[in-house]
Amino acid sequence: MNPSETNETPATGASLIDQIRTKLTDRKQAWSRAGRAITGATAPRTQRLPPGQRLVTDWPVLDLGIQPDVAKSSFSLTIDGAVEHPVTLDWHALMALPQETSVSDMHCVTTWSRYDNHWQGVAITTILDLVRPRAEASHVLFNAYDDYTTNLRLDQVATNDSYLVHSWQGQPISRQHGGPLRVLVPRYYLWKSAKWIRRITIATADHPGFWETRGYNNNADPWLEERYS
Ligand SMILES: Nc1nc2c(c(=O)[nH]1)N[C@H]1C(S)=C(S)[C@@H](COP(=O)(O)O)O[C@H]1N2
Ligand SMILES: [Mo]
């Protein structure tokens, strides 16, 4: 990975955060304009490593430069929008839902992939069953505690490998990786998996998120190498 993409810069003031944000955003937008890391190849689903990706064994950190400190005691997740039964869950309510384990690979648009991640959390299908999307619902917008947003179609998240996860390799997910709770939609590049999730809005139209409005591909399938638009 590009080490300058990690966020290890302490937040000392709004102007510094703004500077970091602008720097990271500008670089990624430049990559997207340049079509960085596009190999032009597509790979069949049977090929575990998507085209243009390389395997890592660590877990790089990438975000906008703000890593919100979300305590479980003040955690709240709202699922609303085009649903029959909008809910706001505190940590206790979330943990009272069926907890599942899952193993999946993750693929970042910056070209690293990491295999065999052991996750624990609540299936997104469990959440959808709880809120009951209305017939006209078609998309999902994820909104995080750092104001990051990302969007997917409802059918892209209503899969048996999509979760709201709180544990990785048997341990609570660290703050830098989006703890206490992040989204995990492993079939798509990792920017679709919002860290520090705060709100999930079910929508009747597509609302492109932070990177999707800055040159990233709306669909984000690693095997089709849908990096940029
Ligand atoms: N809330 C939030 N979620 C986010 C981001 C972010 O800036 N804020 N960055 C996205 C991007 S661009 C990537 S590549 C992955 C990185 O997740 P990781 O830091 O756990 O590897 O998180 C995604 N989720
Ligand atoms: Mo990213």
Side-chain angles (χ1 to χ4, degrees):
M1 66 172 290
N2 178 351
S4 62
E5 268 244 305
T6 57
N7 168 44
E8 278 149 12
T9 312
T12 53
S15 65
L16 178 58
I17 288 170
D18 285 346
Q19 284 170 28
I20 293 165
R21 222 186 245 269
T22 305
K23 201 174 113 221
L24 290 177
T25 305
D26 287 352
R27 183 166 57 244
K28 285 193 173 176
Q29 283 193 272
W31 288 358
S32 108
R33 280 193 297 272
R36 188 181 186 274
I38 299 269
T39 65
T42 59
R45 295 283 146 178
T46 49
Q47 179 183 310
R48 188 172 183 185
L49 190 67
Q53 296 293 110
R54 73 199 155 79
L55 215 46
V56 300
T57 52
D58 60 340
W59 185 5
V61 174
L62 297 101
D63 51 54
L64 298 178
I66 299 166
Q67 297 182 336
D69 189 1
V70 184
K72 288 177 184 171
S73 56
S74 55
F75 172 87
S76 143
L77 170 66
T78 296
I79 305 112
D80 62 359
V83 298
E84 301 294 344
H85 181 62
V87 292
T88 294
L89 305 171
D90 63 11
W91 192 259
H92 181 79
L94 184 84
M95 296 311 283
L97 293 172
Q99 303 293 312
E100 297 177 30
T101 58
S102 170
V103 181
S104 59
D105 302 341
M106 53 183 159
H107 309 290
C108 177
V109 71
T110 59
T111 74
W112 60 266
S113 292
R114 192 186 188 288
Y115 288 170
D116 292 324
N117 301 282
H118 290 244
W119 304 101
Q120 192 178 359
V122 175
I124 291 186
T125 51
T126 299
I127 298 288
L128 294 175
D129 288 347
L130 186 68
V131 300
R132 297 196 305 273
R134 293 206 297 263
E136 64 271 28
S138 57
H139 289 81
V140 179
L141 184 65
F142 295 105
N143 187 298
Y145 276 95
D146 62 346
D147 288 334
Y148 181 81
T149 57
T150 188
N151 58 303
L152 283 166
R153 292 189 316 273
L154 198 51
D155 65 272
Q156 291 176 297
V157 304
T159 61
N160 62 6
D161 54 357
S162 298
Y163 289 88
L164 305 180
V165 287
H166 53 71
S167 297
W168 175 75
Q169 315 297 63
Q171 300 294 324
I173 294 177
S174 65
R175 174 177 168 185
Q176 61 180 353
H177 286 299
L181 191 75
R182 75 174 294 163
V183 177
L184 177 73
V185 187
R187 296 179 194 208
Y188 300 95
Y189 286 123
L190 199 59
W191 88 77
K192 292 289 188 180
S193 294
K195 311 200 276 192
W196 312 290
I197 187 67
R198 171 175 63 187
R199 185 181 216 105
I200 302 174
T201 302
I202 312 297
T204 57
D206 199 10
H207 299 280
F210 184 87
W211 288 120
E212 292 83 3
T213 54
R214 289 168 175 80
Y216 278 38
N217 189 284
N218 205 38
N219 197 56
D221 184 331
W223 286 270
L224 299 177
E225 227 181 343
E226 293 175 328
R227 299 179 192 274
Y228 309 114
S229 52

